[in-house]
Amino acid sequence: AQSVTQLGSHVSVSEGALVLLRCNYSSSVPPYLFWYVQYPNQGLQLLLKYTTGATLVKGINGFEAEFKKSETSFHLTKPSAHMSDAAEYFCAVSDLGNDMRFGAGTRLTVKP
Amino acid sequence: DTAVSQTPKYLVTQMGNDKSIKCEQNLGHDTMYWYKQDSKKFLKIMFSYNNKELIINETVPNRFSPKSPDKAHLNLHINSLELGDSAVYFCASSEGTGVTYEQYFGPGTRLTVT
């Protein structure tokens, strides 16, 4: 069965610094990969997803992620952090079915 | 305009009680879901429901039952609540089945069982 591991339950960066949130997946078939963001007291919102095609995926709010099959990774990056990026971020994986498996989440803190 | 709404937002109840959480989506989507987010933030799918086809995660106890009066609603009924049921429950919907369709999440219902 597929699964994801998010390295680091908490990441803290300064405003304007690079954001890097790590996600490694396990899947027996070519995976679909997702990043979701959860702001306090809100539901999850899709940031970006990889299904097929280009391995560098651009999402909303300036985020992007690169699918690296050789490393089984799908790390999320943003060149310059903004205070409004502070939230919980979830990586998720799925095979061709409906079932999405989520990671444990990474809380991003942005310091002024 | 709220796309996916849930009521109540907070629910505190005692062990052994039966409770329901309501979910409504105004997106015209065909598929709806229930997820459970535990205290460690793990998000697990419980059910998906599409055109009267219910797909159940095998790990979900049969005390949990989804009920869909129409395509826009998928309510979650929980019987004989246990302490371990305390979690945040999220409803979601998507245009179709399969992960190529984006899922839209509601704001969540925080259930506390005492």
Side-chain angles (χ1 to χ4, degrees):
Chain A
Q2 68 273 26
S3 65
V4 289
T5 302
Q6 291 184 240
L7 300 175
S9 60
H10 187 202
V11 171
S12 181
V13 300
S14 297
E15 192 172 18
L18 171 72
V19 176
L20 171 61
L21 304 182
R22 299 177 188 273
C23 173
N24 287 90
Y25 70 90
S26 171
S27 177
S28 58
V29 298
Y32 290 1
L33 295 158
F34 307 81
W35 275 100
Y36 280 84
V37 60
Q38 184 180 23
Y39 298 103
N41 299 314
Q42 294 187 27
L44 280 74
Q45 179 182 2
L46 181 67
L47 271 178
L48 49 81
K49 66 180 179 183
Y50 168 79
T51 53
T52 58
T55 57
L56 182 61
V57 181
K58 294 187 184 299
I60 61 172
N61 301 339
F63 284 93
E64 62 182 37
E66 186 170 10
F67 169 59
K68 291 188 176 180
K69 185 178 178 181
S70 61
E71 298 177 9
T72 60
S73 69
F74 191 58
H75 301 331
L76 181 71
T77 61
K78 182 174 180 177
S80 176
H82 192 273
M83 296 296 290
S84 61
D85 294 327
E88 191 93 22
Y89 291 81
F90 292 90
C91 182
V93 65
S94 180
D95 56 20
L96 297 179
N98 289 335
D99 192 7
M100 271 203 299
R101 305 285 175 117
F102 286 81
T106 298
R107 176 167 295 177
L108 175 65
T109 301
V110 182
K111 298 175 290 186
Chain B
D1 288 341
T2 303
V4 182
S5 60
Q6 297 178 226
T7 54
K9 190 170 183 179
Y10 299 96
L11 181 56
V12 181
T13 188
Q14 292 183 327
M15 286 173 52
N17 285 348
D18 303 337
K19 290 294 179 185
S20 295
I21 306 172
K22 295 186 177 181
C23 176
E24 176 181 2
Q25 54 96 2
N26 62 6
L27 298 167
H29 287 168
D30 288 328
T31 306
M32 296 184 72
Y33 311 82
W34 276 105
Y35 287 86
K36 178 181 180 181
Q37 185 179 46
D38 64 22
S39 59
K40 296 183 179 180
K41 295 284 190 177
F42 274 111
L43 202 69
K44 287 181 145 181
I45 190 165
M46 301 175 71
F47 305 100
S48 65
Y49 194 85
N50 174 270
N51 289 332
K52 300 185 180 179
E53 180 188 7
L54 177 65
I55 301 174
I56 304 171
N57 185 319
E58 60 189 15
T59 66
V60 175
N62 57 16
R63 298 181 294 104
F64 291 78
S65 58
K67 299 250 188 319
S68 180
D70 54 58
K71 198 173 82 164
H73 296 84
L74 183 66
N75 303 325
L76 182 65
H77 297 272
I78 315 170
N79 295 324
S80 302
L81 277 156
E82 301 177 357
L83 292 176
D85 298 333
S86 296
V88 181
Y89 291 85
F90 287 98
C91 177
S93 73
S94 63
E95 193 175 336
T97 55
V99 292
T100 55
Y101 293 99
E102 179 178 349
Q103 294 188 20
Y104 293 78
F105 284 78
T109 296
R110 183 175 295 276
L111 171 65
T112 303
V113 182
T114 61

